[in-house]
Amino acid sequence: MSAGGVPAIALRGVGKRFGHQQALAGIDLAVERGTFVGVVGESGCGKTTLLRLIAGLEPASAGTVEVDGERVAGPREGIGFVFQSPVLLRWRTALENVLLPAQVAGRCVGPAARRRAIALLERAGIGAAAGKLPRELSGGMQSRVALARALLLEPAILLLDEPFAALDALTRERLALALLDLWGDSGLTALFVTHDIGEAAFLADRVVLLAPDPGRLHREFAVPLPRPRTPAMRYEAGYIALCRAIRLAMAEVESGARSEVAR
């Protein structure tokens, strides 16, 4: 928890409407400082909207969204966001793309910023690609650049919206390990949206399952795996049982949705 017992992220009775569509309703969620929370659920259940509310990119229609005890009223410093697409500027090298947040924030990009950017690329496993343009990078390498960029300004909170969704399974596993390495000693609070149950269970301390129509919190699952995580843990009984429990809960949601439609 944050100082004084205040969660890093707190949502209380949060709802979001887009015109006549109710995207989220009655979301109550607290995320403790330094923890990693996975968010899963079928398409259209409001996972991305949830991240955008926390980042201040969208206002809540009901309830309150707080970061470190302060109500979110718009975009704020201290939050890094990794989108579904790397969104790299094609005319800038990998290093220059990582340095972009400092320039957008009006900060001087001096030697210290460049050293941090290079160190982040090295931690992400692509230090040798610092001088390459996006077209010279694979999809996995571009995702690593986007992750390093989100960490440049040392945010307290990292929001990740399916950043590995377009990648093959092996690359996703490698990037999951790179992400954990970058997160592990940073003190960051992370909220990771994914459709991949196994990915969420491997990365997170806790997995939150959202149900749709409107998006709402259906169940939460504690992850029994110790840290640091290793690839071998994906074959342990606790991990397999957790993935099964989450999938069964998702099946309950899907079955309930079909029953509603049939009425």
Side-chain angles (χ1 to χ4, degrees):
M1 298 284 271
S2 303
V6 178
I9 302 170
L11 292 84
R12 301 183 180 89
V14 168
K16 178 62 181 177
R17 294 187 68 90
F18 294 100
H20 297 295
Q21 179 185 3
Q22 186 78 36
L24 293 172
I27 300 289
D28 292 309
L29 178 66
V31 180
E32 297 181 5
R33 178 179 296 280
T35 60
F36 198 122
V37 174
V39 182
V40 298
E42 63 183 75
S43 296
C45 69
K47 301 185 298 296
T48 295
T49 299
L50 185 70
L51 293 189
R52 292 179 65 83
L53 294 179
I54 295 167
L57 301 177
E58 296 278 355
S61 303
T64 59
V65 180
E66 295 182 353
V67 169
D68 288 334
E70 297 182 1
R71 189 162 183 165
V72 174
R76 55 185 289 158
E77 292 187 2
I79 296 180
F81 205 122
V82 183
F83 298 91
Q84 292 181 21
S85 169
V87 197
L88 303 181
L89 298 181
R90 64 181 185 278
W91 59 88
R92 298 177 68 113
T93 65
L95 176 60
E96 291 167 344
N97 268 288
V98 174
L99 288 168
L100 184 62
Q103 295 173 320
V104 171
R107 301 187 185 183
C108 176
V109 181
R114 294 182 68 85
R115 284 195 298 271
R116 174 164 173 76
I118 291 170
L120 285 168
L121 288 171
E122 289 175 347
R123 287 285 300 275
I126 53 169
K132 293 186 177 181
L133 294 170
R135 67 173 181 269
E136 300 174 288
L137 305 176
S138 67
M141 294 171 76
Q142 290 187 32
S143 294
R144 291 171 190 254
V145 173
L147 179 58
R149 180 180 60 194
L151 295 172
L152 179 71
L153 298 183
E154 300 182 80
I157 293 172
L158 185 63
L159 306 176
L160 304 106
D161 186 11
E162 298 188 73
F164 310 148
L167 305 175
D168 64 86
L170 182 58
T171 301
R172 288 180 75 135
E173 290 188 12
R174 289 171 176 166
L175 280 174
L177 291 170
L179 172 58
L180 288 179
D181 180 58
L182 288 164
W183 169 80
D185 59 1
S186 67
L188 273 170
T189 303
L191 204 60
F192 186 97
V193 161
T194 178
H195 280 96
D196 190 318
I197 292 171
E199 187 171 65
F202 180 73
L203 290 169
D205 300 302
R206 180 164 54 116
V207 177
V208 173
L209 171 61
L210 295 186
D213 302 321
R216 61 198 185 280
L217 199 157
H218 181 68
R219 282 189 63 184
E220 296 188 29
F221 301 83
V223 178
L225 303 180
R227 295 195 185 276
R229 303 281 161 86
T230 64
M233 289 180 180
R234 291 180 180 266
Y235 302 97
E236 293 184 2
Y239 171 82
I240 294 169
L242 174 62
C243 292
R244 181 175 184 273
I246 298 171
R247 186 66 192 92
L248 288 174
M250 290 186 72
E252 291 174 5
V253 171
E254 294 162 1
S255 176
R258 286 194 296 270
S259 297
E260 288 294 324
V261 170
R263 288 180 184 177

